Amino acid sequence: MNENGGIMIHECNSRPPALYYLLLFLMFRFPLLLCSYIGAAWLVLDEATTSLSSFAPDASSIVSSIKYHAEFTPLFSPEKFELPQAFIATAQTVRDALIINWNATYDYYEKLNVKQAYYLSMEFLQGRALLNAIGNLELTGPYAEALSQLGYKLENVAHQEPDAALGNGGLGRLASCFLDSMATLNYPAWGYGLRYKYGLFKQQITKDGQEEVAEDWLEMGNPWEIVRNDVTYPVRFYGKVISGSDGKKHWVGGEDIKAVAHDVPIPGYKTKTTINLRLWSTKAASEEFDLNAFNSGRHTEASEALANAEKICYVLYPGDDSIEGKTLRLKQQYTLCSASLQDIIARFERRSGASVNWEEFPEKVAVQMNDTHPTLCIPELMRILIDIKGLSWKDAWNITQRTVAYTNHTVLPEALEKWSMDLMEKLLPRHVEIIELIDEELVRTIIAEYGTADSDLLEKKLKEMRVLENVELPAEFADVLVKSKEADDISSEEVKISGEEEEDDDGNDDEVVIVEKDGTDKSSVEKKKEELPKPVVEPPKLVRMANLCVVGGHAVNGVAEIHSEIVKDDVFNAFYKLWPEKFQNKTNGVTPRRWIRFCNPDLSKIITQWIGTEDWVLNTEKLAELRKFADNEDLQKQWREAKLNNKVKVAALIKERTGYSVSPDAMFDIQVKRIHEYKRQLLNIFGIKGKKTFVPRVCIFGGKAFATYVQAKRIVKFITDVGATVNHDPEIGDLLKVIFVPDYNVSVAEMLIPASELSQHISTAGMEASGTSNMKFAMNGCLQIGTLDGANVEIREEVGEDNFFLFGAKAHEITGLRKERAEGKFVPDPRFEEVKEYVRSGVFGSYNYDDLIGSLEGNEGFGRADYFLVGKDFPSYLECQEEVDEAYRNQKVRLRPIKAWSDLTYSQLYCYHL
């Protein structure tokens, strides 16, 4: 164990090293021969934890291995050996190297029976793996030389790899950075996700804006994954719950599918640890194929069960406007939870040996839910422990709460998942029973905490905290609120009776004759009947997944200091008051390997040269040593050259992707992230028109709008229309370019971020949980303009107030500003009104932008009233951009102070633009 409790894999000196060298030689010279003896070899090396890092192969052995895979394990025909084939064969050789460390890592974990973390996420935005893997293995040089001998450049071969379409935004990128960091820090961990066939979508930019087509990342196969056909678990939907003669509940019938494991090795940097990302695909059993129906010509009917099973893993976040879409999403979430937990439990039982002590489960297993998507882990773990393993409710609940933890990623109400109870009852009937019991347990806790004396307070707490929304209280507590309100109700009734009109002796109200326009009479009684209110529509019964996460786990963390405070003070305030010990902050982090060392080699070389060691990649505190060279002119010159080289590469990328030519001498101003109103790409693009003076700028945007998010797609369309107008204006020339880079992904980010000089993180304060792109930009020597939101707060504290362009309202002011708007007190800045009218004038084309502009107007109403305060922050934003221009005009030939942050979170390398 290391000092932080992680597992360190050390070299074992109890075995003669000669055998290990022989195995490595055989692997690279004669891989097929090695396969025949690998089982026997592991019997000899079963306690060794050796890896390629102990003995780096030379270029000639790598060439032999690449040739072997091209001939004997090809995914292409053998007639030619072009770049795509070269990539596949090269990746397979790297995978061979990873498997040695991978098997040794988990052999070590099995023998020690260590506590292991399991990270469940609906997204893993990995990016390309080849350069990252060989970089972590310290084999970049040998592979570059080997491919050169085969007639190729390593960079060109690596470019053939598609980005794995397993994620979309920061949630998925964070998950991948976590895996990299856990492997590098030698923590026993495992990731679990779904193997999406088509990912989210591939974004194309046309004259109509964003268009979505299926992502084809698996079309040529995935050389990194290993299909584990022997690791499959049943997953059930629908059916019914019955009580057995033994008193146990049994979930029977319904629709059964199989989840099949696909493993992807995740190597650490300069370590022997290689951990695993296990992805689930889905299929139906072969007997589900109706051969008789097929032979009768009913082909669709015959394969319906197979198609229903396979489509679960077709698309990331399928549209959920329809009941079919909602059902598919819920199936995805349950598949991830059920298959993963079955796998985790099977591993726990195997490591426990003959006697399984379930009380030890939380001492050996930590399940981290990345946002609310894996919430069903809680009732699923309860179901397995109670229905299958035979534990009591009390024991199962105690084990579950000690095992599970929850990372919250949002303060947006619409992102705190709620599922229809009716849908869940149909799809997962046993889980609804368990959730009802959890809700009952929570109600009991709330009543015990707050009592029944103050009925209003109790009602408020129950309404706010219950897992079930719009659902009557459990029978046990049905009359609690009624009894506590009896006195108030009696008092109200007395007031009501004393104020009523006296009745006639016969008990009828006095009748008032009404003469209608048509001359007929109507009694007041008849009129009252007409005026009776329409039947009230019952609100839908919902399961609040975020509340279930808080109740069912032992820890809840936000992902930045300000976000964690909002979680405690606002989002889950009632829970925080009840269980303050559960709430923590874990500021998001990114790996400095991918986001400095590998994506920005020019800057990395400079840092290493001046610090005198490459240890900063692992120990980012060492970056502080650059402070003493901050005024060195030679360092300044090298830094400028590195930035310019990166800008030249991006200019070529822009030309290739968009056809536009940009000048690398202009300021590269970049905002790349998911397209969403709260991230305020509109503020950015409006600000370009609002500014009156300019230094030359290339304003670069990138990101995907969700396919059914109409307003976000309008924003993409607007940015591209502005670009089409500005970029073709000869009078503007190189003074301004507006670029939208299509299909933004990790590989594009790895080019844009090192070239950035100003990055925009301008979300409405209090609405961005953390952000991780702000960290990546800062690490690559980029100035930032932003609000006090997410990790911006901590970045600003590290780099100093004078090194962060700050504007806009603060988080604690937002509610008041929205109220001010609703009361009609907001007076927009004339420059903001001018920009809106300019857009309406049609200067950017024939597209009607009334709905887009309308969202920024009015004082109330859905989709109106400028909920994200673009207009409010617009003047402050323009003033801040003037400061940016002034700083760019008056560049100092010196570095600003540099500060380093912990490698466990992120490292910050700050450089004033040169």
Side-chain angles (χ1 to χ4, degrees):
M1 302 285 288
N2 68 9
E3 60 183 2
N4 296 316
I7 300 301
M8 306 290 292
I9 299 182
H10 299 285
E11 259 185 323
C12 177
N13 296 320
S14 60
R15 304 289 183 185
L19 177 59
Y20 178 62
Y21 288 106
L22 174 62
L23 286 172
L24 286 173
F25 173 79
L26 290 173
M27 185 185 77
F28 282 95
R29 292 290 188 179
F30 308 104
L32 189 61
L33 177 62
L34 178 63
C35 292
S36 302
Y37 292 98
I38 194 70
W42 277 113
L43 291 176
V44 178
L45 295 174
D46 59 351
E47 293 188 24
T49 51
T50 50
S51 75
L52 268 178
S53 60
S54 301
F55 176 72
D58 59 18
S60 60
S61 62
I62 293 174
V63 169
S64 297
S65 187
I66 292 174
K67 287 180 177 179
Y68 162 78
H69 279 291
E71 183 175 358
F72 292 104
T73 58
L75 295 178
F76 296 87
S77 58
E79 288 86 4
K80 52 190 177 181
F81 186 72
E82 297 179 346
L83 277 172
Q85 293 92 325
F87 160 67
I88 293 290
T90 301
Q92 287 170 329
T93 69
V94 179
R95 189 187 68 177
D96 288 346
L98 294 179
I99 287 175
I100 294 177
N101 285 355
W102 188 21
N103 288 337
T105 297
Y106 280 94
D107 180 64
Y108 193 71
Y109 292 168
E110 290 280 318
K111 283 181 169 53
L112 292 186
N113 191 16
V114 295
K115 182 172 184 177
Q116 189 164 324
Y118 298 97
Y119 193 79
L120 272 64
S121 178
M122 288 293 285
E123 296 186 45
F124 286 92
L125 194 58
Q126 292 179 285
R128 292 170 176 159
L130 180 59
L131 292 180
N132 188 72
I134 63 175
N136 280 357
L137 292 169
E138 300 180 87
L139 294 175
T140 303
Y143 266 92
E145 184 181 345
L147 287 168
S148 177
Q149 292 179 22
L150 293 170
Y152 293 113
K153 291 183 178 179
L154 173 58
E155 183 179 349
N156 294 339
V157 170
H159 191 68
Q160 299 301 307
E161 181 177 6
D163 278 38
L166 299 172
N168 174 41
L171 181 85
R173 186 53 236 168
L174 170 72
S176 292
C177 278
F178 263 136
L179 294 187
D180 178 281
S181 290
M182 285 189 289
T184 299
L185 294 167
N186 300 302
Y187 290 153
W190 209 320
Y192 281 107
L194 295 181
R195 182 181 180 268
Y196 303 107
K197 186 173 183 180
Y198 302 113
L200 188 71
F201 57 79
K202 181 180 288 185
Q203 181 192 55
Q204 296 180 345
I205 302 298
T206 70
K207 61 181 180 61
D208 298 317
Q210 172 182 295
E211 292 186 3
E212 304 89 23
V213 297
E215 180 63 71
D216 59 353
W217 76 286
L218 287 173
E219 195 169 275
M220 292 298 181
N222 181 5
W224 301 108
E225 69 182 14
I226 298 175
V227 184
R228 306 294 195 188
N229 288 311
D230 60 323
V231 182
T232 65
Y233 296 99
V235 179
R236 172 167 292 162
F237 307 109
Y238 305 110
K240 61 182 178 180
V241 181
I242 62 174
S243 295
S245 58
D246 56 359
K248 290 183 180 180
K249 293 293 185 80
H250 301 275
W251 182 18
V252 298
E255 172 187 310
D256 292 322
I257 67 164
K258 289 184 177 182
V260 183
H262 298 248
D263 287 347
V264 180
I266 307 295
Y269 178 70
K270 289 190 175 182
T271 175
K272 299 167 175 43
T273 302
T274 298
I275 64 174
N276 190 36
L277 170 59
R278 176 157 284 181
L279 303 171
W280 301 107
S281 67
T282 48
K283 68 178 185 179
S286 56
E287 55 264 25
E288 296 292 335
F289 179 73
D290 191 337
L291 188 59
N292 290 331
F294 190 85
N295 288 333
S296 299
R298 306 193 309 276
H299 300 154
T300 302
E301 177 187 336
S303 59
E304 183 178 7
L306 279 66
N308 284 339
E310 290 175 0
K311 72 181 181 183
I312 291 173
C313 291
Y314 273 175
V315 174
L316 169 65
Y317 303 141
D320 60 356
D321 289 344
S322 66
I323 187 63
E324 292 81 8
K326 289 180 173 65
T327 302
L328 186 57
R329 276 212 194 188
L330 193 54
K331 280 186 171 183
Q332 286 185 333
Q333 293 187 6
Y334 179 61
T335 297
L336 170 63
C337 295
S338 180
S340 302
L341 279 173
Q342 289 182 70
D343 196 43
I344 291 167
I345 288 171
R347 189 170 301 109
F348 169 75
E349 291 179 319
R350 184 177 66 249
R351 291 180 180 179
S352 297
S355 59
V356 176
N357 182 357
W358 288 103
E359 274 297 311
E360 292 182 353
F361 190 76
E363 307 303 323
K364 298 296 183 181
V365 172
V367 174
Q368 188 72 33
M369 301 181 297
N370 193 26
D371 214 9
T372 54
H373 307 125
T375 305
L376 289 169
C377 279
I378 294 167
E380 175 67 359
L381 182 53
M382 292 289 291
R383 182 189 72 84
I384 294 173
L385 293 176
I386 295 171
D387 295 355
I388 299 176
K389 304 303 177 183
L391 273 66
S392 68
W393 171 272
K394 180 181 179 181
D395 290 340
W397 185 232
N398 177 267
I399 289 168
T400 298
Q401 286 187 305
R402 290 163 56 207
T403 299
V404 177
Y406 162 52
T407 297
N408 173 272
H409 281 276
T410 184
V411 300
L412 298 177
E414 65 270 22
L416 293 173
E417 280 189 301
K418 297 180 182 181
W419 282 103
S420 162
M421 196 167 174
D422 290 339
L423 171 60
M424 193 174 283
E425 279 181 319
K426 292 176 184 177
L427 195 68
L428 304 168
R430 179 58 177 141
H431 296 76
V432 170
E433 290 185 350
I434 292 171
I435 290 170
E436 287 175 334
L437 290 172
I438 293 172
D439 182 66
E440 184 177 323
E441 191 93 17
L442 176 62
V443 170
R444 188 175 295 109
T445 301
I446 293 170
I447 293 174
E449 178 71 18
Y450 295 101
T452 58
D454 188 338
S455 60
D456 290 336
L457 175 63
L458 180 59
E459 187 173 14
K460 177 178 180 291
K461 294 296 181 182
L462 289 170
K463 185 176 181 180
E464 184 178 0
M465 299 174 71
R466 286 187 64 191
V467 174
L468 302 180
E469 184 175 329
N470 303 322
V471 176
E472 291 183 358
L473 283 169
E476 179 184 347
F477 312 105
D479 60 348
V480 169
L481 291 178
V482 175
K483 285 182 177 179
S484 65
K485 285 190 171 184
E486 277 182 354
D488 291 339
D489 291 342
I490 291 171
S491 176
S492 298
E493 186 66 22
E494 288 174 349
V495 172
K496 178 181 177 184
I497 291 172
S498 67
E500 287 179 344
E501 295 291 333
E502 291 186 4
E503 296 179 335
D504 290 339
D505 290 340
D506 60 4
N508 294 324
D509 290 336
D510 290 335
E511 186 173 295
V512 180
V513 176
I514 308 287
V515 179
E516 298 295 308
K517 289 182 179 179
D518 60 3
T520 61
D521 294 343
K522 270 194 175 177
S523 69
S524 59
V525 174
E526 290 172 335
K527 188 180 180 194
K528 284 178 181 178
K529 288 180 180 178
E530 286 185 352
E531 292 176 350
L532 286 174
K534 294 180 181 179
V536 176
V537 178
E538 289 292 329
K541 297 178 180 180
L542 302 171
V543 180
R544 298 192 279 197
M545 307 303 269
N547 288 26
L548 181 55
C549 285
V550 177
V551 174
H554 66 274
V556 179
N557 72 278
V559 289
E561 285 184 7
I562 186 173
H563 170 237
S564 295
E565 291 305 308
I566 292 171
V567 165
K568 292 189 292 187
D569 297 342
D570 185 13
V571 182
F572 297 125
N573 180 253
F575 290 107
Y576 174 65
K577 289 179 177 177
L578 185 61
W579 298 308
E581 71 282 355
K582 281 192 179 187
F583 289 82
Q584 309 171 1
N585 175 61
K586 296 289 186 294
T587 296
N588 275 351
V590 300
T591 165
R593 271 72 63 188
R594 182 180 287 270
W595 294 110
I596 307 182
R597 176 64 181 83
F598 301 147
C599 78
N600 199 345
D602 290 345
L603 177 60
S604 298
K605 290 175 183 175
I606 293 170
I607 296 171
T608 299
Q609 175 189 337
W610 287 87
I611 291 179
T613 176
E614 203 176 47
D615 290 348
W616 61 269
V617 181
L618 284 172
N619 302 303
T620 52
E621 294 84 357
K622 290 184 178 293
L623 291 172
E625 295 181 24
L626 281 174
R627 288 191 183 123
K628 55 191 175 186
F629 306 115
D631 295 319
N632 189 288
E633 292 185 6
D634 290 335
L635 174 57
Q636 294 292 319
K637 180 182 178 182
Q638 292 174 11
W639 200 288
R640 286 195 297 269
E641 290 174 350
K643 181 66 71 174
L644 182 60
N645 289 341
N646 289 324
K647 292 172 70 177
V648 169
K649 293 176 184 177
V650 167
L653 173 72
I654 289 171
K655 180 67 175 178
E656 175 190 338
R657 293 286 187 96
T658 70
Y660 293 128
S661 297
V662 302
S663 170
D665 294 324
M667 181 201 303
F668 276 23
D669 173 355
I670 301 178
Q671 186 182 17
V672 282
K673 51 187 74 232
R674 184 165 48 95
I675 308 297
H676 197 292
E677 289 171 276
Y678 90 83
K679 293 179 183 288
R680 301 202 294 189
Q681 285 89 354
L682 263 184
L683 179 60
N684 185 344
I685 195 73
F686 273 29
I688 293 173
K689 174 64 178 73
K691 288 171 82 274
K692 299 302 181 185
T693 61
F694 277 97
V695 297
R697 286 200 196 205
V698 179
C699 298
I700 301 173
F701 296 82
K704 294 179 180 179
F706 191 67
T708 58
Y709 190 175
V710 176
Q711 194 74 319
K713 294 180 77 170
R714 289 190 185 117
I715 292 171
V716 174
K717 168 68 174 166
F718 180 55
I719 294 170
T720 57
D721 280 352
V722 172
T725 302
V726 169
N727 299 342
H728 290 106
D729 189 330
E731 293 185 7
I732 295 177
D734 283 340
L735 182 61
L736 175 65
K737 298 293 183 185
V738 176
I739 306 295
F740 192 97
V741 180
D743 205 36
Y744 177 69
N745 57 21
V746 175
S747 295
V748 174
E750 288 172 334
M751 294 192 68
L752 293 180
I753 290 172
S756 61
E757 293 165 299
L758 178 72
S759 64
Q760 305 217 22
H761 306 277
I762 57 178
S763 54
T764 311
M767 303 199 76
E768 182 75 87
S770 175
T772 53
S773 65
N774 48 10
M775 305 171 195
K776 298 163 194 167
F777 281 100
M779 289 162 65
N780 283 272
C782 175
L783 288 172
Q784 299 192 17
I785 181 172
T787 53
L788 279 182
D789 199 25
N792 286 1
V793 177
E794 290 154 276
I795 290 174
R796 183 168 176 261
E797 289 174 356
E798 290 294 330
V799 303
E801 295 180 7
D802 58 333
N803 291 334
F804 188 101
F805 293 100
L806 176 67
F807 76 96
K810 310 299 188 294
H812 68 274
E813 300 171 338
I814 301 302
T815 300
L817 291 171
R818 286 177 179 148
K819 181 181 179 183
E820 178 186 276
R821 180 77 180 233
E823 294 170 350
K825 297 178 181 177
F826 172 68
V827 179
D829 188 278
R831 292 169 293 181
F832 187 63
E833 296 301 287
E834 180 186 334
V835 172
K836 290 193 296 183
E837 290 308 309
Y838 189 70
V839 174
R840 283 195 169 111
S841 71
V843 70
F844 298 118
S846 59
Y847 186 86
N848 188 336
Y849 281 109
D850 286 348
D851 287 332
L852 180 67
I853 302 302
S855 71
L856 306 173
E857 298 177 326
N859 295 323
E860 58 185 357
F862 180 76
R864 295 178 62 81
D866 192 13
Y867 184 78
F868 301 102
L869 304 183
V870 175
K872 175 65 181 178
D873 282 349
F874 189 72
S876 176
Y877 179 71
L878 292 186
E879 292 163 11
C880 201
Q881 286 286 10
E882 294 298 328
E883 293 178 24
V884 172
D885 280 0
E886 184 63 25
Y888 201 89
R889 290 189 192 97
N890 300 292
Q891 298 171 39
K892 304 290 185 180
V893 186
R894 65 183 180 87
L895 287 173
R896 293 289 190 181
I898 296 168
K899 294 187 178 182
W901 298 339
S902 169
D903 184 46
L904 286 170
T905 54
Y906 41 78
S907 59
Q908 163 71 13
L909 177 60
Y910 183 83
C911 169
Y912 203 91
H913 171 72
L914 301 172

